[in-house]
Amino acid sequence: MWLVFVIFVFFPYVPYIGRYISLGTEVVIWSLFALGFNILLGYTGLPSFGHGAFFGIGAYAAGIFFLQVYKGVWVPLIMSILITGFFTALVGLLVAKKRGIYFALITIAVSQVFYFIAFRWEELTGGETGLSGIDRVNISFPNLFSIKLSTPINYYYFVLVIFILCTLLIWKIVHSPFGKVLQAIRENEIRAKYLGYNTAAYKWGAFTISGFFAGLAGGLYTLLINSAFPFVLDWTQSGNVVMMTLLGGGTVNFFGPILGAAIFIVSRDLLSTYWESWMLIYGLIFVFVILFIPSGILGLVGGKKQTILR
Amino acid sequence: MGKKLSKKISRRTFLKGAVASAALLGPGIPYIAKKAVAAEPLYVGVVSPASGNYADHGMMERMGMQMAADEFKAKGVLGRPIKLLVEDDETDPAVGARKARRLIEVDKVKFLIGGVSSSVAVSVGEVAQRYGALFIASNQNSDTITGEKAHRCVFRVPPDMAMALRTLGPYIIEKVGKKWYFFTHDYEWGWSGTRWGKKVLEKYGGTEVGESKVPLNTRDFSSFLIKARAAKPDALVITVGGIDRAALIEQMFEFGIYKEMTPVETLYDYEDVWAAGAEKNFGIHGTEWFHGIDIPAVKEFVTKYKKRWPAALIPVPTQDTANGYIGLRELLRAIERAGKDDVTAVIKALEGHTVTDSLKNDPIYIREWDHQFIWAFYVVRSKKPSEMKDRADFFELLKWSPGKEVARTKEENPVKLEPYPG
Amino acid sequence: MTEFLSFAVNGLVLGLIFAVVALGFTLILGVMQVINFTHGILFAFGAYFAFTLQRFVGFWWALIIAPIFVGLIGLILERLVIHRTYGGNPLFGLLLTFGLATALEEVIRMIWGKPGYSVAAPRFVAGSLDLGFMFYSKYRLLLAALTIIIILLVWLFLEKTSYGAIIKAGASDSEMVMALGKNLPRMRTFVFAIGSILAGVAGVIAAPIWSVRPTMGTAILMPAFVIVVLGGIGSFWGSVIAGLIVGMSTSISVMFWARISDIIPYVLMAIILLFRPRGLMGEKSVLEV
């Protein structure tokens, strides 16, 4: 784990890609999102196809709070966590009792509702044009020092610190007794139920926790791009985070989502720059991964058989 | 058991680290290659849709930009060759912003041009302003780009909706009728079109018999058309664009609506007429430019286009092509005038400049206080298939207004631009 | 009030198009448990083929030939790629078809180019019908007739033929069908082809009123999805009735508050999933557990 952190810390100093800091920040943010999401997908075995909506709620929460209430850094971010957590908890109540295809279907439906709300509720969300003008202000620790977050590299490290803390937190969660029960549910929910566990409550918990991280990631993303757009709530974004998690091997390895996020974001950016018909390759990569490396890259490398939910 | 497990983990961790580093380093290599080959070119970033709903518009504007770049091939600008770095904005403001940031951060471009969707232009404009780069919005018509979201670092080439409706409106009142029904695409651009339309109506004593707000991504207009028909307007004033407009045109034809009222597209894009075809071409419309304008400059441009792009899917240049061409050409000329590739100097070289060899009936005045290109707007009539001289001859020119007569005044647009960058 | 009748008819017609698409979708979902994201792109292929064919053989022949081509595409996709995801996590089928749809949309752009196209409806239905109490387009009435015929054909197939009966059974319980010893892989390929043909036909029919663009498939994919869940996975009448409901609700909500017309189907879907997860007419299926 420490190796991963070290790589991220030194990333900006690597020549050439080091210049494209905001891409690196994006990788970190999506890794955070994917890691949190993996609690649900990889560890609990619940295929949510609507998490893009929670990312989006977090993004808008931060944006709206910044523009309407308080122009800070911490407050909008905290609001994005809390508000997303609230909605995720609500939705979680709806889905906790389901699994498999029905689970996936409900999450798609719910995320589409949120997407349309973001798209159409112009007054609140700015509609198609989205919100803009969300600056990154300085953060200061009273009596200590003040950091200018508007420079890309400072923001990168800020996000990185948050990421490291969250990763440690997620690690603790999945390795705790709670996490173990989640895995049991993944392996065989009925059996877990017979053992006396209230599986619905655990599933709700996993769902909500993953929502908190999604919201945080969303808020950080808004601050990164200084705006919020409805497109992040689209179901294709939800598909993207699932893909990232799978690609890297989230179903077999804790760090899979990080690797997946890195590869996904970087290659997507590169592809569309160098080839006008990049969507073709992009789609084919999806197909390739699903068919040939369903347990993801780390699954391939580690030689472990795919454990995912049959 | 414990020992074996830890060994396995460390091997895995190592491989993980290796793969992760490779993933992060990988992108470095093409950049190194790119930088080595290009000696001292002047880069212009093009952020334009190649996928998504406006892909066809994006294609046309890039063709125009390429034509402008070709003109500078021999001498270059400030003695340096021009290199266009093209990125696909996917008709998505988040992607557009990301590409803009990448062009600025990684490729170190200082000049950006493009965007077809207004929301993409707004987000790219913001990035440009933040980083002190110059952005020429080549094909957006929403008022805000030179209004509420105007920036010192953003210039806009095509006319805004005020110019459109103030040219078109009086003609419709006079020749079509005073009872108007509005179709408003329910977002920024749609609202601005209808807003100015209502102002014109009021000024000339017309009546609004109804309005329908059409949500984005509407495919089915039958309900809207039925409602409009019931109001019995003279003119159906439509500010709806993109793929929604394509469906609307099909359905206006399908219901025969055009026989009972005159469809008026406030801003008709040639790409959409072309897609609809000769049979489904009806009404009186406003348009920024079209290839049939009877001046030598336009004829020459059309000839140049046909020569440069003989296999083009649309055989004549569209307004997007003209705007892309003019936008890039004037940017490059401004850089020449400024004498250096400093953004502030180029901005100053653009502000207040008059372009005499424009592609329209009047010269272009680049207004300094809102960065709007002031030039003509046109009113055209859809030709019947029997009147068409060739397969691209969709329009007949009815009237035009010089830009300065119809552009917004300072009272109407109290915009304040930021101070110069740097 | 004449408007209301026109709106209602409009909603029904819209619903019929949705129903045809949803039928294909629900069969595939029911029999193979694959959430077929390529359904939208197959719809688009139908329209594009119709556009190309129309110039040579006219509308009616295009109506017959284009869907066959689409069926072929579906067949190839299924045989080459999709069948590998059967029996596994539904997520994989979804992601796979999602990837395919993305790639195929680009293929359409590469073959036909980025500009849009128009398909002409048959001449005799040009224009509208003003019956005083109702105003409507003739083409849409033709459309309604065509879709009703198609739905009837599908119904006949499922109800009256023995093969159809097996598929109908398989749509709610494929394990059972397998146990009966039928050749499952071939049946699945067949079902996918039928589903594709249905999507393609809908594309041809909708082309003259929706215009032909590479992104046109996205407009029916989500509604199809909602309809199938609303109506019940694998259920014939479920798809038809839910299709009509969604069509009507979209059309009528435009009368009152156009902005939310898109959201209503999803809200309906969410409600159904909560209180009656198997849909209006679905049967208890393997999917539910």
Side-chain angles (χ1 to χ4, degrees), chain C residues 94-105:
Chain C
L94 208 163
L95 285 174
L96 183 70
T97 53
F98 175 64
L100 284 172
T102 311
L104 286 172
E105 184 182 314

Side-chain angles (χ1 to χ4, degrees), chain A residues 41 47-49 93-95 98-102 104-106 108-110 112-113 116-117 120-123 190 235-236 239-240 242-243 246 275-284 286-288 290-292 294-295 306 308-310, chain C residues 29 33-35 37 80-81 84-96 98-100 102-107 109-110 114 221-222 225 229 233 258-263 266-267 269-270 273-274 277-279 285 287-289:
Chain A
L41 179 65
S48 162
F49 241 79
L93 289 174
L94 301 178
V95 299
K98 319 261 185 247
R99 64 167 183 283
I101 262 208
Y102 277 100
L105 292 179
I106 292 202
I108 297 185
V110 168
Q112 282 294 97
V113 172
F116 277 112
I117 293 178
R120 303 234 185 273
W121 194 353
E122 307 272 352
E123 297 75 21
I190 300 191
W235 58 270
T236 46
N240 288 341
V242 175
M243 193 60 195
L246 284 180
W275 205 32
E276 201 174 302
S277 298
W278 60 274
M279 273 178 82
L280 179 61
I281 302 278
Y282 180 73
L284 290 176
F286 254 73
V287 174
F288 181 78
I290 297 287
L291 288 182
F292 300 115
S295 45
Q306 183 207 13
I308 202 174
L309 11 134
R310 287 221 142 227
Chain C
L29 183 55
Q33 284 95 59
V34 170
I35 301 179
F37 268 101
L80 275 183
V81 210
R84 293 185 210 225
T85 62
Y86 294 156
N89 187 350
L91 207 54
F92 286 138
L94 208 163
L95 285 174
L96 183 70
F98 175 64
L100 284 172
T102 311
L104 286 172
E105 184 182 314
E106 192 58 35
V107 167
R109 251 191 282 266
M110 284 162 66
K114 298 197 211 282
L221 184 60
M222 276 296 148
F225 190 62
V229 173
I233 298 178
R259 253 195 212 180
I260 59 161
S261 62
D262 274 335
I263 304 189
Y266 295 102
V267 173
M269 174 170 160
L273 279 173
L274 288 175
R278 60 184 80 137
S285 78
L287 293 172
E288 229 178 283
V289 187

